[in-house]
Amino acid sequence: MALIDNGVYVHGRRVETPKNLDETYRSLDAHGGIAWIGLYRPSPQEVASVAREFDLHPLAVEDALSGHQRSKVERYGDTLFAVLRPARYRDEQESIEFGELHLFVGPDFVVTIRHAESPNLAGVRRRMEALPELLSMGPEAVFYAILDEVVDGYEPIVAGLLNDIDEIEDQLFGDSDDDALSRRIYELSREVINFQRAVHPLAGMLEWLRRGSEKYRIDEELQRSLRDVLDHVIRVNERVDSFRAILENALTVQSALVARRQSDASLAQNDEIKKISSWAAIIFAPTLVGTVYGMNFDVMPELHWVHGYPMAIGAMAAFAVALYGVFKYKRWL
């Protein structure tokens, strides 16, 4: 069902729970107060119905239908249109799941349109209904409560990312697979960048709302709540910026370590080649002498000479010792 929850409130208390949008419009006309309509993946017809009833701007309606919007807030006359990017951390996959929440906030209504399962606004509604004095402050109070819920949902993500970064730092100087670690650093960097895109615009949005508080006569208590949410956003932004810098440094260090390991492996391989080549040369010299004197010729110098055999053996040994000395001097052996 697209209509998740629906209520009409007077002086901060729910007076009606209409079963459909048409009943909501009639109840709002009869009782006054404010209507809080929660929609989940509504059809174009349902969004069009809300747009006609509350005179929503066509551009905002188009954004709400299409989805995949960046975080932003815009004002169309007396109506605020906001796009928020709630998120949650999935421990099993060690990844961030992003949602999308569209809000229309007018003088006597709040319409929330969710395109994903998060955030669970039922908790926000219960808390607001438990504080009728806060809910009686109007749609702006609902808007700020939802903002606070979305921003509070970022804290577990920060904790999850911090834990992932700690694991990467432990693996960085360990015996982990280089390819797997580089891939994980890159994937986590992508997660942090996407999270950054969801969080960064909020600071400007909240500052814009804060500047307009007096113009639109927002209650002082709500203004304090707004400043508190802004402080939380600034802290999250600072942490996310530091995470991105750490991961960039980690990727640089990982690249340097991989290059060093490859260089060490290459040097070790060169040393082995040098040793093999040296011993091959040492063995080759006596073999060459032995091969020459092993040829089957009748007429050959020193063949019938009494000192021929000792001379050949001596030449073999001399060549071998000389080559060993040369290679040892050059540190090939």
Side-chain angles (χ1 to χ4, degrees):
M1 292 179 61
L3 190 62
I4 299 300
D5 202 349
N6 188 22
V8 175
Y9 300 85
V10 177
H11 303 303
R13 300 185 184 278
R14 189 190 288 236
V15 295
E16 291 283 350
T17 304
K19 296 180 179 179
N20 55 55
L21 292 175
D22 291 334
E23 287 186 17
T24 304
Y25 308 149
R26 289 194 294 268
S27 178
L28 184 60
D29 291 338
H31 296 285
I34 66 171
W36 184 352
I37 302 171
L39 300 173
Y40 176 63
R41 293 180 178 173
S43 66
Q45 292 76 19
E46 289 165 324
V47 176
S49 172
V50 172
R52 285 193 303 269
E53 178 66 23
F54 299 120
D55 193 24
L56 304 181
H57 196 279
L59 290 178
V61 173
E62 182 181 349
D63 287 344
L65 284 171
S66 60
H68 304 290
Q69 302 293 315
R70 60 179 178 83
S71 300
K72 63 179 180 179
V73 61
E74 296 171 341
R75 181 174 289 278
Y76 298 96
D78 292 334
T79 302
L80 273 177
F81 172 64
V83 180
L84 304 178
R85 297 299 307 278
R88 62 179 179 176
Y89 186 80
R90 304 176 67 181
D91 290 318
E92 299 81 7
Q93 292 80 14
E94 293 185 335
S95 63
I96 304 173
E97 182 182 271
F98 294 93
E100 189 169 341
L101 176 63
H102 295 198
L103 296 99
F104 293 93
V105 183
D108 59 351
F109 66 89
V110 177
V111 179
T112 62
I113 300 176
R114 288 191 293 137
H115 290 278
E117 293 184 5
S118 63
N120 183 8
L121 298 181
V124 179
R125 193 183 289 260
R126 285 194 299 269
R127 288 195 297 273
M128 293 295 289
E129 290 179 347
L131 299 169
E133 66 279 2
L134 180 59
L135 188 52
S136 65
M137 294 179 186
E140 291 83 4
V142 176
F143 179 39
Y144 293 158
I146 293 174
L147 274 171
D148 187 51
E149 175 72 14
V150 170
V151 174
D152 284 347
Y154 292 153
E155 293 295 339
I157 298 174
V158 171
L161 290 174
L162 181 59
N163 182 66
D164 291 342
I165 290 173
D166 287 341
E167 291 178 357
I168 284 176
E169 289 178 338
D170 291 339
Q171 296 173 5
L172 198 58
F173 298 100
D175 297 327
S176 60
D177 178 67
D178 289 333
D179 291 339
L181 181 57
S182 297
R183 188 182 305 109
R184 189 180 183 197
I185 294 174
Y186 175 76
E187 290 173 352
L188 189 57
S189 298
R190 290 285 302 273
E191 293 281 340
V192 169
I193 291 172
N194 290 333
F195 186 43
Q196 207 173 29
R197 289 171 180 167
V199 178
H200 263 208
L202 286 178
M205 292 166 53
L206 291 167
E207 185 62 33
W208 182 80
L209 290 170
R210 189 188 66 81
R211 289 196 302 267
S213 296
E214 294 184 4
K215 177 181 178 181
Y216 292 97
R217 300 176 182 176
I218 304 301
D219 186 90
E220 183 64 30
E221 182 65 28
L222 293 182
Q223 293 186 43
R224 282 194 287 268
S225 299
L226 181 62
R227 286 193 293 271
D228 182 63
V229 175
L230 178 58
D231 289 341
H232 288 175
V233 168
I234 291 172
R235 286 199 298 271
V236 172
N237 273 332
E238 289 173 349
R239 297 299 300 278
V240 175
D241 290 343
S242 68
F243 289 164
R244 186 170 180 179
I246 290 171
L247 288 170
E248 288 175 352
N249 291 336
L251 193 58
T252 301
V253 171
Q254 171 66 2
S255 300
L257 289 174
V258 170
R260 179 179 176 181
R261 290 181 186 126
Q262 291 176 344
S263 176
D264 291 344
S266 178
L267 289 174
Q269 187 178 22
N270 287 340
D271 289 341
E272 291 299 322
I273 293 174
K274 288 178 181 179
K275 289 179 180 180
I276 294 172
S277 300
S278 300
W279 285 114
I282 291 171
I283 294 171
F284 173 73
T287 303
L288 178 63
V289 176
T291 302
V292 170
Y293 281 90
M295 290 187 294
N296 296 318
F297 290 103
D298 289 332
V299 180
M300 190 173 183
E302 298 90 22
L303 185 64
H304 300 287
W305 183 35
V306 68
H307 299 296
Y309 177 74
M311 186 196 72
I313 297 298
M316 293 180 190
F319 276 127
V321 171
L323 287 174
Y324 180 83
V326 171
F327 291 137
K328 194 71 174 177
Y329 176 77
K330 292 182 175 291
R331 295 183 179 179
W332 282 30
L333 291 175

